[in-house]
Amino acid sequence: MLVHPNFDPIVFAVGPIAVRWYGLMYVLAFVFVIVLGKWRVRHGLGNGLEVKDVDDMLLYGVLGVILGGRLGYVLFYKPQHYLEHPGEILQVWAGGMSFHGGFIGVLLAVALFCWIRRKRWITTMDFIAPLVPLGLAAGRIGNFINGELPGRPTDLPWGMWFPQVDRERIARHPSQLYQFALEGVALFVVLWWFARRPRPAGAVSGAFLVGYGFFRFIAEFARAPDDFLGLLALNLSMGQWLSLPMILAGIAMMAWAYRSAR
């Protein structure tokens, strides 16, 4: 059995100001978006965007991720709790962010950006899609460092004991690393390859929806469901139920994209 290193969540502190690993992973994710986005623009894959647009679009994206991620967690996972304790909704530092909520937040934030800049929304989302997975990978590393969102019990040789979660020595799947590999690295490779040349409008976005939804659905079989939710209908987790519509929407979007191109 492996043992989680139980990292100090604080990288360094200067007086009352502390820099945490999870926050650092968010910064790293945004850096990936800027660097990869500008590379794509300079290599003629900007879908009508200029280099300066990448910096401005990031600001909208950051707001969409934070607001959407938090509100998604509130609405999808703990609506009753936050209805009874509305003051806790703004306590982002206490934990609780939802990818699916953040995804919706980014869709709306980019729509606002495109409306202001008079850009086409669907092709802008096609531009953004390949930039996202490495940011997701950074987030999963942050989860692993914090010892949060561990997996279900396992007897596999790489099972890991998370002392932050279990007082007894229980081996669990290091599901954060599974998600790092699937939703992060593998999805990045697939989308970067798929978007290396022009595709019909909506095709790359559809591929992202299918790829993320599929990888997340698979990884959830190893990830422990939230204690306050457990498994839902058909023994599927909330993450799996939220991923299924993404897969279906992605398939429909890719079919529409190629049909429209013909």
Side-chain angles (χ1 to χ4, degrees):
M1 179 193 302
L2 303 177
V3 180
H4 185 269
N6 201 11
F7 299 98
D8 186 340
I10 298 177
V11 184
F12 64 86
V14 179
I17 300 176
V19 176
R20 296 178 177 271
W21 282 109
Y22 197 69
L24 193 60
M25 292 301 105
Y26 264 87
V27 173
L28 184 60
F30 297 139
V31 169
F32 281 141
V33 170
I34 289 181
V35 173
L36 295 175
K38 290 184 176 181
W39 186 94
R40 287 180 60 79
V41 170
R42 292 189 178 110
H43 285 77
L45 299 170
N47 291 1
L49 297 174
E50 300 177 10
V51 171
K52 62 182 179 65
D53 291 324
V54 176
D55 294 320
D56 297 338
M57 188 170 55
L58 179 65
L59 176 60
Y60 288 83
V62 169
L63 293 175
V65 167
I66 295 175
L67 295 178
R70 183 58 174 173
L71 290 177
Y73 182 79
V74 170
L75 296 175
F76 297 151
Y77 290 89
K78 286 187 172 182
Q80 187 61 39
H81 173 82
Y82 288 105
L83 185 63
E84 297 172 358
H85 305 88
E88 296 182 11
I89 293 177
L90 299 179
Q91 296 178 9
V92 180
W93 58 88
M97 297 286 281
S98 162
F99 164 80
H100 297 90
F103 174 71
I104 295 173
V106 169
L107 293 181
L108 296 176
V110 174
L112 177 61
F113 169 84
C114 292
W115 179 71
I116 294 174
R117 295 295 180 87
R118 297 186 178 181
K119 304 291 184 181
R120 191 180 179 193
W121 178 75
I122 189 65
T123 55
T124 301
M125 292 306 303
D126 285 343
F127 169 79
I128 293 173
L131 315 180
V132 173
L134 287 187
L136 298 178
R140 294 311 178 191
I141 292 297
N143 294 144
F144 180 75
I145 290 174
N146 286 346
E148 59 192 12
L149 307 180
R152 305 182 192 190
T154 180
D155 56 2
L156 291 172
W158 58 84
M160 183 173 289
W161 174 39
F162 290 85
Q164 311 93 319
V165 178
D166 301 305
R167 298 183 64 179
E168 299 181 2
R169 296 176 67 91
I170 298 176
R172 293 180 176 274
H173 286 286
S175 58
Q176 312 97 323
L177 300 184
Y178 300 171
Q179 292 186 265
F180 161 81
L182 293 174
E183 304 163 14
V185 179
L187 184 58
F188 170 75
V189 171
V190 170
L191 288 180
W192 196 259
W193 171 82
F194 186 69
R196 75 193 189 285
R197 59 178 180 168
R199 301 285 181 180
V204 179
S205 297
F208 173 85
L209 291 174
V210 173
Y212 178 85
F214 174 75
F215 286 138
R216 176 68 183 268
F217 189 90
I218 296 300
E220 285 280 332
F221 283 115
R223 176 174 163 175
D226 296 288
D227 292 336
F228 53 86
L229 281 178
L231 295 175
L232 306 178
L234 302 180
N235 280 331
L236 298 180
S237 67
M238 175 62 82
Q240 289 173 311
W241 278 112
L242 292 175
S243 295
L244 285 175
M246 292 184 69
I247 297 172
L248 297 176
I251 293 172
M253 184 175 289
M254 293 188 74
W256 168 82
Y258 281 98
R259 185 169 60 248
S260 297
R262 288 196 296 269

